[in-house]
Amino acid sequence: MGSAATLIGRLQNLGSDVVAWASALLPQRDQFSFSLGMLMFATELVMLLRWLPLSRQPKSQSGTVTG
C-alpha cells in the first residue's frame, strides 16, 4: 500500500508542477488574466471528467485486503 500511495502522490505533484509551469508561460497583465483563468478552468474540467467514472464504480462488498 505504501508504494502505491507514494506513486499516486508523486503523479499528483507532477501534474500540479506541469500546470504551474504552463501558467508561468502565459502572459499575465493583471490579476484577472483571461488565459490563466481558462487554464485553471480546463484543469478543473479534466479532473472532474476523470473523477466522474471513478465515482460511479460499485464498491466491493469485501472489506478485507489479501496479498
Side-chain angles (χ1 to χ4, degrees), residues 7-61:
L7 178 62
I8 295 296
R10 288 186 180 185
L11 287 174
Q12 288 174 341
N13 289 340
L14 179 64
S16 67
D17 288 344
V18 168
V19 171
W21 172 75
S23 69
L25 293 177
L26 296 173
Q28 299 174 8
R29 292 173 292 284
D30 57 3
Q31 183 178 1
F32 302 106
S33 176
F34 177 74
S35 56
L36 183 60
M38 288 306 295
L39 176 68
M40 294 301 139
F41 175 73
T43 303
E44 291 176 19
L45 189 62
V46 167
M47 290 188 314
L48 178 66
L49 292 175
R50 295 299 301 156
W51 174 79
L52 279 175
L54 296 174
S55 69
R56 296 173 193 252
Q57 290 181 353
K59 301 212 183 270
S60 63
Q61 299 297 326

